[in-house]
Amino acid sequence: MAGTTSDAGKSLLTAGICRWLRREGVAVAPFKSQNMSNNSMVCPDGAEIGRAQWVQALACRVVPEAAMNPVLLKPGTDRRSHIVLMGRPAGQLRSREWSTGRRELAATAFAAYADLASRYDVIIAEGAGSIAEVNLRDGDYVNLGLARAVDLPVVVVGDIDRGGVLAAMYGSWALLDDADRGHLAGWIVNKFRGDADLLKPGLDVIESRTGLAVFGVVPYLREVWLDGEDALTLGAWQAHDVDAAPLVPTLPGGRSGKGAADDGSLRIAVVAFPRLSNATDVDALAAEEGVRVELLDHPARLRGADLIVLPGSRTTLADLAWLHERGLAAAIVAAAERGVPILGICGGYQMLAGSIADPQAIEASVPTRVDGLGLLPVAVEFEAAKRTAVIAGQWRGQRVEGYEIHHGVAQRVPVRVGARAAELDHAGSDSDAPEPFLDGWQQGNVWGTTWHGAFESDGFRREFLTHVAQLTGSGWRPRGGPGFRARREDMLERLADAVVEHLDTAAIRRLLGL
């Protein structure tokens, strides 16, 4: 499953085809040779893979494993990516090494594919970016390089929602050489809105000029936005909440001042770091009814938030410096001192510390130590070994499940930090004594943890948000409805329904030899 562009819908359509095949009783597994994403997930054995392949494994109802995404590149800068090979850290890949470096990774990827193919009836392989990135063709092993190596047919997905899909499809075909074109099997148009009959004349031209069939036109599927992989999909849930009110101005004292005008909602401001990592932590918050989540990169937009979230970061030190440059650091500290709830997750938690040390230059170019925001009584030190694990615990009687992926280790320090300018006026706020919070700490209205995925635990998420609502005077309360994992399962079922309804499944079965 390849695409004319990034974010054409390859990941979701792959998941939908996987679930459809699983319904048909086919032993199916997902595969992506190389993934470039800072949204990753930890498998039960501790291996780290791209989030999309983890979700696709759920679609197949199989256990996620490293072979499904043997190479994961996690961008650290615009010119350097950290390599995760078969689920484990394996150095760095620089832009000038792009072609030669990827050749060395291809053997591992092809071996992983062969391993999966020996254990499953069908492998649905997802490509990356555009099928026609001819500038990267040398050394490619995720798109046509994979197809050529293991003799795969390729279906190309085009995103009509962004416009120009017919040109993108024909242009992609025209740029390929004859050997690569020989692996193309057909087209899928994705994210269509309107009357499909109006599109047919254009599709007839595409079929005539390329000699490839169009397998179907998939409509724009609303509410299918969970577990985004690419930066382009980050915050896609915002488009599905158009009736929600924007952040409101903050009244003196730091509260949003809802009072009699309280609409019963919670407004969460998430800092959009340049190297934001595991942004899917926010999905679970956005999925809760009555919760409005906004991504921001300007301090003025913090005003009126009931909760400010510092999410994960692939480059904690660089993104902390960015916070200061943007004026966000000072704004976050001021908000905390006014009593606004602050939550840090993984890299965001590390930024809340009193200090951050990188003695082995894991992130920095030289060993370094910097001051954190000083809102939690911890000191962070980066260790060479990356910690990856699936974990579980409790908070206020609610079971919490999650996973951790981090080099930074936070240690409690015997000092009081983050002294506030005013006391909170809610019950129990008269002490700033730190308390454990999952694997991290809470001090007053500030929480920090390294655990990703914790808010996918419905009871914990709703208990935490209820507590935030009490602190801020919001009338928000949990409204029931399906939990996060139930919504993900419903999404997969809806994707499979769309495959059955809108694609030529008989042709796809023939393509797969079924």
Side-chain angles (χ1 to χ4, degrees), residues 62-138:
V62 298
V63 177
E65 58 176 292
M68 296 171 181
N69 178 209
V71 181
L72 172 62
L73 301 182
K74 307 188 74 172
T77 69
D78 290 340
R79 296 178 178 273
R80 182 184 66 185
S81 292
H82 300 269
I83 302 171
V84 179
L85 188 64
M86 290 302 291
R88 308 297 174 184
Q92 299 181 1
L93 182 67
R94 302 179 188 278
S95 57
R96 64 177 178 269
E97 304 164 341
W98 193 251
S99 294
T100 57
R102 294 204 302 178
R103 288 195 194 99
E104 297 175 3
L105 300 174
T108 298
F110 296 157
Y113 179 89
D115 175 40
L116 285 178
S118 71
R119 295 185 277 126
Y120 291 91
D121 296 334
V122 170
I123 306 298
I124 304 298
E126 178 188 342
S130 167
I131 195 73
E133 290 172 341
V134 291
N135 55 309
L136 302 177
R137 181 62 182 89
D138 185 26

Side-chain angles (χ1 to χ4, degrees), residues 33 110 125 131 137 140-154 179-180 182-184:
S33 296
F110 296 157
I131 195 73
R137 181 62 182 89
D140 167 52
Y141 60 94
V142 64
N143 287 316
L144 289 163
L146 173 68
R148 294 271 291 273
V150 298
D151 192 23
L152 295 180
V154 179
D180 281 347
H183 284 271
L184 300 190

Side-chain angles (χ1 to χ4, degrees), residues 182-464:
H183 284 271
L184 300 190
W187 310 98
I188 293 175
V189 176
N190 193 28
K191 306 181 190 178
F192 183 74
R193 308 171 194 246
D195 184 352
D197 289 340
L198 298 177
L199 186 59
K200 188 176 186 307
L203 299 183
D204 289 342
V205 171
I206 289 294
E207 289 187 332
S208 173
R209 295 194 180 182
T210 66
L212 302 173
V214 176
F215 288 138
V217 178
V218 179
Y220 194 101
L221 300 174
R222 297 185 179 277
E223 299 301 323
V224 178
W225 47 262
L226 301 177
D227 300 293
E229 175 187 65
D230 296 326
L232 289 170
T233 64
L234 180 60
W237 26 261
Q238 294 184 99
H240 303 288
D241 195 16
V242 294
D243 296 328
L247 294 177
V248 297
T250 306
L251 297 182
R255 303 295 192 277
S256 55
K258 296 182 175 68
D262 180 17
D263 60 1
S265 67
L266 276 179
R267 296 174 173 86
I268 300 177
V270 179
V271 179
F273 295 128
R275 295 297 177 188
L276 195 158
S277 178
N278 288 73
T280 46
D281 286 328
V282 183
D283 285 351
L285 298 173
E288 194 69 42
E289 186 177 352
V291 174
R292 171 68 172 174
V293 177
E294 295 190 4
L295 295 165
L296 58 87
D297 60 3
H298 193 280
R301 295 187 61 200
L302 292 175
R303 292 195 298 267
D306 295 297
L307 173 67
I308 298 172
V309 178
L310 280 67
S313 166
R314 186 60 193 84
T315 54
T316 303
L317 295 173
D319 282 350
L320 175 60
W322 175 85
L323 278 185
H324 285 287
E325 292 167 2
R326 298 285 294 182
L328 281 161
I332 291 166
V333 171
E337 292 178 345
R338 293 195 307 270
V340 177
I342 311 290
L343 169 68
I345 303 173
C346 201
Y349 168 37
Q350 295 166 11
M351 294 181 201
L352 298 176
S355 65
I356 306 173
D358 188 5
Q360 301 183 62
I362 302 300
E363 281 193 3
S365 57
V366 296
T368 189
R369 180 191 178 280
V370 301
D371 291 334
L373 299 182
L375 295 177
L376 286 176
V378 296
V380 173
E381 182 170 316
F382 292 157
E383 296 181 349
K386 180 190 285 189
R387 298 192 181 191
T388 59
V390 176
I391 38 77
Q394 287 194 346
W395 186 73
R396 292 192 169 191
Q398 300 292 338
R399 179 170 173 80
V400 186
E401 297 177 348
Y403 59 100
E404 54 182 341
I405 307 172
H406 58 95
H407 286 279
V409 177
Q411 298 290 341
R412 172 85 164 84
V413 292
V415 294
R416 186 175 181 273
V417 299
R420 295 201 295 261
E423 291 294 329
L424 298 180
D425 59 4
H426 63 274
S429 66
D430 57 346
S431 172
D432 279 340
E435 299 179 3
F437 177 69
L438 305 181
D439 71 325
W441 293 92
Q442 172 194 354
Q443 181 167 281
N445 55 304
V446 182
W447 295 263
T449 177
T450 65
W451 288 9
H452 294 293
F455 289 97
E456 295 181 22
S457 298
D458 299 329
F460 165 69
R461 179 181 67 254
R462 290 167 178 168
E463 179 70 19
F464 181 84

